[in-house]
């Protein structure tokens, strides 16, 4: 009897706090974590949602965030715009250089700013994948969630696909997109081996969604979250929260999940840490025996699925 051929890939998640509100310093910090992952011989390193230069968690925890014409909120939003990243642009070039230098694929969330052409001035919640050969794949969150619509615009579907890098197919979705069944199906159809689930922080429901994604898509999932103490909230808004400065606003919770839904690395909270694991892509071949949502379980004779371009 022929043995199953192993396909071992080393993957990693950089669970770290960006330098909130400072894109230059955040990119510099990202470069150090990319190098750490490369030194661990990882083929891919994932960061959390809008990691450059920080998820605007003040939308959730600062009571005055939605008040009309609030001068403090407008000031914080202006800082967010000024520290958003142009794609392409010099900060992306730094990430490209690092991916090529260290022969590693980087998947990192960022606040993206459009300065020219259609949508000029709009900010997007973007997940950028930079392959080890320098190729860039840009996915913008389709629908900003709830209060996020005050800072980010809606996106198109063209980026709902995985990319081939280092011999495997890598894809990703951002936060609440993991509860959009058709967005999930589009990604499943792209043949992901490894999926980056980018979250601001990976709490219980986010772990549930990430494990379901792995089980449904028969792929490995890197659920990446960030950490943030209350002391990092914008000074203009911090006073209204009544949170002690050492309280955690985002706790991390990053984890790595196998195609059968089990944890390869269980969630880790409240510390900066590089999660590293060796995964065997041969597990995917085994698990599709019982469920294959893009194969015989798709029932194309009964159902039609289309992603509009």
């Amino acid at each position: 009897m022929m043995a199953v051929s192993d396909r071992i890939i080393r993957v990693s998640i950089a669970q770290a706090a960006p330098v909130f509100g400072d894109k230059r310093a955040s990119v510099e910090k990202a470069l150090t974590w990319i190098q750490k992952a490369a030194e661990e011989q990882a083929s891919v390193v994932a960061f959390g949602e809008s990691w450059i230069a920080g998820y605007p968690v003040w939308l959730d925890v600062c009571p005055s965030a939605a008040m009309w014409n609030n001068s403090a909120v407008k000031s914080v939003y202006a800082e967010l715009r000024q520290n958003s990243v142009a794609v392409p642009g010099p900060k992306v070039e730094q990430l490209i250089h690092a991916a090529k230098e260290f022969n590693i694929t980087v998947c990192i969330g960022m606040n993206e700013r459009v300065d020219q052409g259609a949508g000029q001035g709009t900010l997007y919640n973007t997940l950028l994948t930079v392959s080890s050969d320098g190729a860039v794949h840009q996915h913008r969150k389709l629908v900003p969630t709830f209060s996020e619509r005050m800072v980010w615009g809606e996106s198109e579907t063209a980026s709902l696909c995985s990319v081939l890098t280092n011999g495997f197919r890598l894809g990703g979705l951002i936060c609440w997109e993991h509860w959009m069944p058709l967005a999930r199906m589009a990604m499943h159809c792209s043949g992901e081996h490894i999926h980056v689930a980018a979250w601001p922080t990976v709490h219980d429901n986010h772990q549930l969604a990430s494990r379901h994604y792995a089980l449904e898509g028969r792929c490995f999932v890197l659920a990446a979250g960030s950490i943030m103490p209350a002391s990092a909230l914008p000074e203009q808004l911090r006073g209204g929260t009544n949170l002690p400065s050492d309280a955690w606003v985002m706790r991390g919770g990053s984890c790595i999940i196998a195609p059968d839904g089990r944890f390869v690395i269980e969630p880790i909270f409240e510390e900066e840490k590089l999660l590293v694991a060796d995964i065997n892509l041969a597990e995917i071949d085994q698990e599709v025996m019982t469920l294959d949502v893009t194969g015989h379980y798709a029932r194309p004779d009964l159902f039609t699925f289309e992603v509009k371009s």
Side-chain angles (χ1 to χ4, degrees):
M1 181 177 177
M2 184 181 298
V4 175
S5 299
D6 289 339
R7 296 176 61 196
I8 307 298
I9 303 290
R10 181 163 292 182
V11 298
S12 66
I13 300 173
Q15 177 169 285
V19 183
F20 290 94
D22 189 332
K23 67 179 176 183
R24 181 198 61 80
S26 291
V27 170
E28 290 298 325
K29 186 170 183 179
L31 297 178
T32 65
W33 284 90
I34 292 168
Q35 183 172 353
K36 287 180 184 180
E39 289 170 352
E40 293 289 336
Q41 299 184 321
S43 294
V44 60
V45 58
F47 293 77
E49 180 179 359
S50 57
W51 200 88
I52 305 171
Y55 180 81
V57 69
W58 46 269
L59 289 168
D60 299 322
V61 301
C62 299
S64 60
M67 288 180 62
W68 178 258
N69 211 28
N70 184 323
S71 59
V73 173
K74 290 198 293 185
S75 173
V76 172
Y77 179 73
E79 291 175 4
L80 179 67
R81 281 180 55 79
Q82 291 164 6
N83 283 278
S84 296
V85 177
V87 183
K91 299 307 176 190
V92 175
E93 286 300 320
Q94 288 182 266
L95 297 172
I96 292 172
H97 178 78
K100 293 169 71 173
E101 178 183 0
F102 297 117
N103 191 33
I104 189 171
T105 295
V106 179
C107 193
I108 188 167
M110 59 179 56
N111 291 283
E112 181 198 352
R113 178 175 176 172
V114 176
D115 289 329
Q116 296 180 344
Q120 184 171 342
T122 300
L123 299 184
Y124 292 101
N125 181 343
T126 295
L127 187 63
L128 201 72
T129 300
V130 183
S131 298
S132 56
D133 62 359
V136 173
H137 178 74
Q138 176 185 10
H139 170 63
R140 295 168 173 168
K141 191 174 185 180
L142 296 174
V143 183
T145 305
F146 195 51
S147 57
E148 291 177 356
R149 296 170 204 180
M150 291 193 293
V151 297
W152 290 318
E154 293 187 338
S155 181
E156 73 297 322
T157 61
S159 61
L160 283 176
C161 60
S162 60
V163 296
L164 181 62
T165 178
N166 285 343
F168 57 87
R169 297 204 69 87
L170 176 71
L173 290 174
I174 304 167
C175 196
W176 233 242
E177 290 180 322
H178 291 88
W179 277 287
M180 298 175 69
L182 300 185
R184 295 201 311 268
M185 188 60 179
M187 295 304 300
H188 297 334
C189 288
S190 72
E192 292 174 298
H193 298 112
I194 301 170
H195 175 85
V196 174
W199 305 92
T201 184
V202 195
H203 57 56
D204 288 351
N205 278 342
H206 295 169
Q207 292 162 22
L208 176 66
S210 300
R211 294 182 72 183
H212 175 264
Y213 191 98
L215 191 70
E216 178 182 75
R218 290 322 204 206
C219 61
F220 288 89
V221 171
L222 311 183
S226 300
I227 60 174
M228 179 183 183
S231 59
L233 287 168
E235 186 175 347
Q236 304 95 311
L237 301 174
R238 196 182 309 157
T241 65
N242 295 319
L243 291 170
S245 60
D246 60 351
W248 291 101
V249 179
M250 297 191 296
R251 300 178 57 232
S254 300
C255 51
I256 298 176
I257 306 161
D260 61 358
R262 78 181 190 281
F263 287 118
V264 177
I265 295 182
E266 295 198 2
I268 294 174
F269 295 95
E270 298 177 5
E271 64 172 308
E272 289 198 328
K273 187 176 181 64
L274 184 71
L275 286 67
V276 181
D278 290 328
I279 61 173
N280 188 353
L281 299 188
E283 285 192 39
I284 295 172
D285 295 319
Q286 298 174 28
E287 295 304 327
V288 293
M289 178 179 180
T290 50
L291 177 64
D292 182 358
V293 297
T294 62
H296 59 279
Y297 260 84
R299 288 302 304 269
D301 55 323
L302 300 178
F303 305 111
T304 299
F305 179 74
E306 176 188 6
V307 178
K308 295 182 179 180
S309 58

